[in-house]
Amino acid sequence: MEMTSVSLKRGCLVVEDNDSVTPHEETKKQKVSEGCVTNSPDGVESDSLHSSETKPGPPEAESTLKDGENSGAQVQEEEEEEEEEDGLSEAGEEEEPESFADMMKHGLTELDVGITKFVSPHQGFSGILKERYSDFVVHEIGKDGRISHLDDLSVPVDEEDPPEDALTVLTAEDRQQLEELQLFKNKETSVAIEVIEDTKEKRTIIHQAIKSLFPGLETKTEEREGKRYIVAYHAAGKKALANPRKHSWPKSRGSYCHFVLYKENKDTMDAINVLSKYLRVKPNIFSYMGTKDKRAITVQEIAVLKISAQRLAHLNKCLMNFKLGNFSYQKTPLKLGELQGNHFTVVLRNITGTDEQVQQAMHSLQQTGFINYYGMQRFGTTAVPTYQVGRAILQNSWTEVMDLILKPRSGAEKGYLVKCREEWAKTKDPASALKKLPVKRCVEGQLLRGLSKYGLKNIVSAFGIIPRNNRLMYIHSYQSYVWNSMVSRRIELYGLKPVPGDLVLKGATATYIEEDDINNYSIHDVVMPLPGFDVIYPKHKISEAYREMLAADNLDIDNMRHTIRDYSLSGAYRKIIIRPQSVSWEVVAYDDPKIPLFNTDVDNLEGKPPPVFASEGRYRALKMDFSLPPSTYATMAIREVLKMDTSIKNQTQLNTSWLR
């Protein structure tokens, strides 16, 4: 799932979402080298929520910049749709550059989403976050507490694997015909491949290649008119297709190949969609413990069902900005939420703080921590915050839900979305508005398709076409908005110490702090509820503040069950202060803003020496390392260090203009 991230680039701030392209460092295009198996264009459209509205995440499901972590469901199977091109609003028409500051005039500030307090009294300073996506590196922390690193590209030795030549011996045309045969997409019952250099070794490699790359097909050698052919055919009719991998997977090998995925400037779901296209498998055979941010370098563990390490390693020759390694065969897949958290390496460039200010800020982060707010990327980048949609769902105001998602708005949007919204406002014709969208899988496209199918009088069913997790994200965004607001109020009233009536967790159960055991707890133990029907509220003034806030939104805090079961909120508890672990930092001097300031896993694999810093330079950077548990936002830790509003609207006051 994708959240918006911000890059403060020398008075210029870049918004990143699934569809955007950073203007200052173009992402290298994935390319296919010879012999690489693919039948898809470079860019693969993800089934995750693409929208002008940033995708909100589930309340207890994120770590990182979303924040490295998001527990949205496993990658969904792609709908049977035609491939859609992204980028031009109409054929041959490019977007006009716009002033980014103008686009974001009506965006949200931290104040709009309840983010108002800091924990440390130190004086803030400015710095540039994510000037380069390589300035933000996320390493997953597995359930065993081990930080994932890509440090081994070798493939486990397996006698049953085909030789390396098997992956390159078939032409693109051969592969296309074989895939159509495998999937019963053509009328032929077999495919014949002529053996050009007729040797036993060559025939053996072709046999192995077909059986390895197209499970479910069998092969035989035939002689026709003096030429030899390898003939591929179905071994067991359509039954073979139901579970084709079982025909060729060694029984002694674990069913899942686990590997470490290193990726640059790509979120996890998009990355898995790319891998599945190149491997010609469905995305849902991949599993993972959490999704990672796009505008970053991320390293995480992935598992895939019955795809050999050899085939996966071959992708290293085909794809740029991806690297796969640390292969092993296991009996079980990975499960969402199994991770312990994420370790971050973050560079804040061109800092203005003195050494003393930096030390004060970092010591406070290390010893006290930061307020565990939901970050700005949870609430959207346009003038219509995602929590407003969530509130309308909870109010059963379905016409308002439709209007909020589809109406024209100010903010950073692609031209085709602007035209789609204008068409909707003018005609209220979903089919007509849908024609303006080259990308039909964004939330607007999904809703319009639903309205075309069910009509404007059945908005509930039309909205239901949007994948469930994405629909729930809107109401989770509303919960997050309430939680942020209440935590700010709690800190304003009672400060950074526990008080009687606060809540703490004993196991999974929330209990009240009583007067006589106040000394047994610290502020790091205190939790506050996300509103729902299965939580309790503090026994002090904040309880009434919750009630008043929901009442102002025409919601009853005592009745959070919805007439539609999916939208009933049970609630959850969240710690109000997070203290990062394994915190370290250094201030370095540099002259060239383009040079990397630390080595990545791939740099280390390639034997690159670490950067050497001069004692003085034109610029100073703060390099930070820290670990966070799941469901926390690294941007909020950085906010505490800089004392800087992380909202895009606030930062664009520094801007002149931003060109796409």
Side-chain angles (χ1 to χ4, degrees):
M1 292 181 213
E2 213 60 13
M3 298 282 177
T4 300
S5 58
V6 296
S7 166
L8 310 181
K9 182 167 173 73
R10 280 197 217 301
C12 176
L13 184 144
V14 176
V15 178
E16 276 302 320
D17 62 23
N18 272 350
D19 294 328
S20 63
V21 179
T22 164
H24 303 293
E25 53 171 352
E26 284 193 17
T27 308
K28 298 171 186 174
K29 297 290 184 185
Q30 296 149 13
K31 67 177 183 183
V32 186
S33 54
E34 283 191 344
C36 206
V37 179
T38 177
N39 58 346
S40 71
D42 290 336
V44 177
E45 182 68 21
S46 168
D47 266 349
S48 56
L49 180 66
H50 294 253
S51 175
S52 57
E53 300 167 0
T54 306
K55 188 173 20 173
E60 291 305 312
E62 283 156 49
S63 148
T64 90
L65 231 242
K66 79 183 166 298
D67 250 345
E69 208 59 47
N70 207 335
S71 82
Q74 305 285 18
V75 179
Q76 300 160 354
E77 292 186 22
E78 294 191 29
E79 299 172 20
E80 294 298 321
E81 288 186 18
E82 69 280 3
E83 289 299 322
E84 294 154 346
E85 294 297 326
D86 190 0
L88 298 182
S89 53
E90 300 204 2
E93 182 184 339
E94 295 188 12
E95 294 302 322
E96 287 296 314
E98 297 178 66
S99 162
F100 186 66
D102 286 343
M103 291 162 68
M104 290 312 301
K105 268 189 230 175
H106 305 286
L108 299 175
T109 65
E110 288 184 346
L111 184 64
D112 295 326
V113 296
I115 300 173
T116 62
K117 302 297 179 184
F118 295 95
V119 301
S120 166
H122 78 267
Q123 184 179 348
F125 53 92
S126 67
I128 304 173
L129 170 62
K130 290 193 173 188
E131 179 170 29
R132 302 164 59 84
Y133 65 74
S134 54
D135 285 348
F136 197 95
V137 177
V138 186
H139 288 267
E140 191 172 70
I141 304 172
K143 57 185 174 182
D144 58 358
R146 186 176 49 84
I147 297 176
S148 289
H149 281 280
L150 182 78
D151 53 20
D152 182 4
L153 300 182
S154 64
V155 176
V157 177
D158 192 326
E159 293 179 1
E160 301 197 52
D161 276 334
E164 182 68 19
D165 290 352
L167 298 173
T168 58
V169 72
L170 299 172
T171 67
E173 185 180 355
D174 292 338
R175 289 194 297 269
Q176 182 176 349
Q177 290 179 344
L178 288 164
E179 180 179 357
E180 290 174 353
L181 176 68
Q182 182 194 34
L183 301 177
F184 295 93
K185 285 188 175 180
N186 59 18
K187 297 177 182 177
E188 304 297 325
T189 57
S190 65
V191 169
I193 297 170
E194 184 181 355
V195 185
I196 304 299
E197 300 167 14
D198 186 15
T199 64
K200 184 174 182 181
E201 291 76 14
K202 184 66 178 285
R203 294 197 301 273
T204 299
I205 290 171
I206 295 174
H207 283 293
Q208 290 174 323
I210 294 172
K211 290 177 181 178
S212 169
L213 298 175
F214 301 92
L217 297 184
E218 291 293 337
T219 58
K220 60 186 177 183
T221 303
E222 286 186 1
E223 191 163 320
R224 302 177 183 176
E225 300 177 357
K227 296 179 181 178
R228 289 209 174 180
Y229 291 84
I230 306 296
V231 179
Y233 60 96
H234 275 286
K238 294 209 173 187
K239 287 184 181 178
L241 194 60
N243 188 8
R245 288 176 291 279
K246 73 182 180 182
H247 293 277
S248 56
W249 195 259
K251 292 180 181 178
S252 60
R253 184 196 280 171
S255 293
Y256 296 88
C257 185
H258 288 227
F259 61 95
V260 170
L261 173 65
Y262 168 103
K263 59 184 180 57
E264 299 181 1
N265 210 32
K266 202 84 170 167
D267 74 65
T268 301
M269 291 192 186
D270 279 349
I272 285 178
N273 274 300
V274 170
L275 297 180
S276 65
K277 289 287 187 180
Y278 277 74
L279 293 165
R280 296 186 322 280
V281 296
K282 296 231 173 170
N284 64 354
I285 70 169
F286 290 87
S287 58
Y288 48 86
M289 294 183 285
T291 67
K292 305 296 178 230
D293 189 25
K294 175 184 177 179
R295 190 169 165 77
I297 291 174
T298 66
V299 182
Q300 69 181 116
E301 190 174 353
I302 304 284
V304 61
L305 175 64
K306 293 186 177 178
I307 299 291
S308 70
Q310 187 182 37
R311 284 184 69 188
L312 292 167
H314 185 67
L315 296 178
N316 286 334
K317 299 177 181 178
C318 311
L319 299 173
M320 295 189 71
N321 298 340
F322 288 84
K323 216 67 166 176
L324 289 67
N326 297 77
F327 301 102
S328 64
Y329 292 108
Q330 310 285 343
K331 294 180 180 178
T332 56
L334 295 170
K335 293 181 181 177
L336 280 165
E338 282 185 330
L339 75 172
Q340 283 193 16
N342 292 282
H343 184 79
F344 298 88
T345 303
V346 178
V347 169
L348 301 175
R349 292 183 183 248
N350 202 14
I351 59 169
T352 60
T354 64
D355 287 348
E356 183 180 0
Q357 284 176 306
V358 170
Q359 294 302 315
Q360 286 177 348
M362 293 306 299
H363 278 297
S364 174
L365 184 69
Q366 186 177 49
Q367 293 162 14
T368 305
F370 62 97
I371 303 170
N372 194 19
Y373 287 126
Y374 289 99
M376 292 302 299
Q377 58 270 34
R378 192 159 187 104
F379 303 103
T381 60
T382 73
V384 181
T386 50
Y387 74 77
Q388 290 184 5
V389 180
R391 179 170 58 200
I393 293 169
L394 294 174
Q395 293 169 340
N396 251 330
S397 301
W398 291 101
T399 301
E400 186 181 357
V401 170
M402 176 180 69
D403 188 49
L404 286 168
I405 292 174
L406 296 178
K407 72 179 182 181
R409 78 276 317 273
S410 303
E413 290 206 305
K414 286 190 172 290
Y416 55 74
L417 264 171
V418 173
K419 291 180 180 178
C420 169
R421 296 188 191 288
E422 289 171 350
E423 182 68 19
W424 170 255
K426 185 171 66 177
T427 66
K428 289 294 189 285
D429 180 351
S432 178
L434 196 59
K435 289 177 182 176
K436 300 291 183 182
L437 281 182
V439 179
K440 303 292 193 292
R441 289 179 190 157
C442 62
V443 67
E444 293 85 356
Q446 290 166 328
L447 178 56
L448 288 168
R449 198 163 59 239
L451 292 169
S452 295
K453 181 174 182 180
Y454 294 106
L456 300 184
K457 292 185 178 179
N458 193 353
I459 300 170
V460 173
S461 295
F463 184 70
I465 275 193
I466 299 170
R468 180 177 182 270
N469 286 313
N470 296 344
R471 284 181 275 126
L472 297 185
M473 286 170 188
Y474 285 115
I475 55 176
H476 293 152
S477 177
Y478 178 73
Q479 285 180 301
S480 305
Y481 165 61
V482 173
W483 193 91
N484 280 359
S485 303
M486 293 298 97
V487 167
S488 293
R489 183 85 176 117
R490 155 69 181 77
I491 290 172
E492 180 183 329
L493 286 177
Y494 302 115
L496 294 174
K497 62 184 189 300
V499 297
D502 272 336
L503 293 168
V504 292
L505 289 178
K506 290 186 176 178
T509 304
T511 60
Y512 295 106
I513 297 179
E514 304 295 344
E515 186 78 54
D516 55 0
D517 65 353
I518 195 81
N519 293 327
N520 295 328
Y521 299 102
S522 78
I523 193 65
H524 297 99
D525 299 311
V526 176
V527 298
M528 284 182 56
L530 291 114
F533 61 76
D534 199 24
V535 294
I536 59 175
Y537 295 88
K539 277 186 180 175
H540 46 52
K541 291 180 180 177
I542 298 304
S543 177
E544 189 57 32
Y546 269 97
R547 184 175 297 276
E548 289 172 359
M549 185 173 181
L550 267 69
D553 287 337
N554 295 315
L555 296 172
D556 180 0
I557 199 169
D558 299 318
N559 182 19
M560 297 301 289
R561 294 187 186 272
H562 197 279
T563 52
I564 300 170
R565 187 177 177 184
D566 268 358
Y567 308 137
S568 291
L569 294 177
S570 61
Y573 299 98
R574 180 176 175 88
K575 286 194 171 183
I576 68 173
I577 302 290
I578 291 291
R579 185 162 46 195
Q581 302 298 305
S582 307
V583 179
S584 64
W585 67 91
E586 65 175 324
V587 176
V588 299
Y590 65 102
D591 287 315
D592 184 351
K594 294 181 181 178
I595 63 164
L597 299 183
F598 59 89
N599 271 10
T600 65
D601 284 358
V602 168
D603 291 333
N604 293 332
L605 276 170
E606 293 173 352
K608 289 184 181 176
V612 178
F613 303 109
S615 55
E616 293 186 2
R618 291 172 60 196
Y619 311 109
R620 293 160 65 245
L622 171 58
K623 177 176 175 282
M624 311 161 57
D625 277 272
F626 55 91
S627 296
L628 294 177
S631 182
T632 54
Y633 284 69
T635 42
M636 293 295 99
I638 294 163
R639 168 187 181 269
E640 181 66 39
V641 169
L642 295 177
K643 291 286 186 77
M644 180 184 284
D645 185 330
T646 58
S647 72
I648 297 169
K649 177 178 179 178
N650 185 68
Q651 299 299 344
T652 50
Q653 292 172 3
L654 304 173
N655 293 2
T656 51
S657 64
W658 176 65
L659 303 182
R660 272 200 180 97

